[in-house]
Amino acid sequence: MTNVTPPDGRYWSAYNDAQAGRLPRPLCRQVLAHAGPSDGRLAVDLGCGSGIETAAMVEAGWRVFATDADPATPSRVADLVGPEARVEVVVGTFEEVRLPRADLVYAGYALPFVAPSHFPDVWSRVREALRPGGWLAVDLLGDRDSWAGQRAMTFLDRESLDGLVQGLELVSLDEEDEDGRSFSGPKHWHVFHLLARRPR
Ligand SMILES: C[S@@+](CC[C@H](N)C(=O)[O-])C[C@H]1O[C@@H](n2cnc3c(N)ncnc32)[C@H](O)[C@@H]1O
């Protein structure tokens, strides 16, 4: 494991500032394409950070419930979506926030920052939030990630991942296992980009 300091509020604020101007992440674009016309359905952006994926959902016609612990989230999202957008922004932690029932739940690089002691509860609430036929798109970190061993975060082996998706229809699972960069420097990324669906 690379020595890594657990991210705190100041780190996330700087991280989210630095995201300005990037494109929506591929997994978000992928789930929006799979989910088809929004017809005013509700999406959740869990750990919405800069709000770029929230704005992509709004652009695609979704109502959005966006949540993150970063106190600057409401202003970040408002700057991107404008006053008419049907977005509810809630500042809160994954461990506490009440998720609405939704047709799409997206969590981009967010759930690994839940401690293992809380992860099962957070994951059950994510699954319970999905309406029948609802889409789930999440990035999870694997046990070969260079941050693995960081006790405040959750890393999964393949068997645990298989357990998490039991009962869901697996649409795609892209596994990234390569050296790269993070906001805090070079690292080895082991990421599961998961796209699944709750059966109707
Ligand atoms: C790696 S960033 C990802 C943000 C965004 N989804 C993206 O892809 O750029 C993780 C986000 O999760 C938020 N976060 C981290 N731990 C959290 C927690 N326990 N509860 C709520 N939000 C948390 C941070 O504030 C940050 O915005």
Side-chain angles (χ1 to χ4, degrees):
M1 167 196 154
T2 306
N3 212 359
V4 54
T5 313
D8 60 10
R10 277 213 319 227
Y11 176 95
W12 287 129
S13 183
Y15 174 93
N16 288 326
D17 281 344
Q19 299 301 305
R22 71 160 168 76
L23 290 173
R25 297 197 186 278
L27 184 64
C28 178
R29 287 185 269 146
Q30 202 184 338
V31 71
L32 288 175
H34 274 280
S38 63
D39 295 328
R41 288 179 292 168
L42 181 70
V44 168
D45 187 357
L46 187 56
C48 62
S50 62
I52 291 169
E53 285 69 35
T54 299
M57 293 168 183
V58 168
E59 175 76 15
W62 290 76
R63 291 182 295 120
V64 185
F65 176 91
T67 181
D68 197 289
D70 183 345
T73 306
S75 61
R76 287 184 206 289
V77 172
D79 286 349
L80 289 180
V81 302
E84 303 301 319
R86 294 177 299 171
V87 180
E88 181 182 359
V89 183
V90 171
V91 175
T93 67
F94 304 141
E95 294 80 357
E96 293 165 355
V97 71
R98 278 176 63 105
L99 298 177
R101 299 265 286 165
D103 298 291
L104 190 162
V105 177
Y106 170 77
Y109 293 93
L111 292 177
F113 298 98
V114 176
S117 53
H118 291 289
F119 189 88
D121 176 58
V122 172
W123 185 256
S124 328
R125 287 189 291 112
V126 165
R127 284 192 58 152
E128 280 161 19
L130 283 176
R131 289 205 177 102
W135 297 85
L136 176 66
V138 295
D139 303 303
L140 297 163
L141 291 184
D143 54 359
R144 291 191 293 281
D145 194 275
S146 56
W147 290 343
Q150 167 59 253
R151 289 211 297 270
M153 294 176 62
T154 294
F155 302 88
L156 300 162
D157 58 24
R158 183 55 207 260
E159 198 184 340
S160 314
L161 184 80
D162 290 343
L164 291 182
V165 296
Q166 248 182 25
L168 297 174
E169 293 165 9
L170 189 59
V171 179
S172 66
L173 178 61
D174 294 331
E175 187 172 358
E176 187 183 336
D177 198 350
E178 61 194 21
D179 292 341
R181 291 197 64 78
S182 75
F183 183 59
S184 47
K187 76 180 284 278
H188 185 85
W189 285 105
H190 184 201
V191 190
F192 296 110
H193 305 283
L194 169 72
L195 177 53
R197 193 170 191 194
R198 179 173 164 184
R200 283 187 181 281

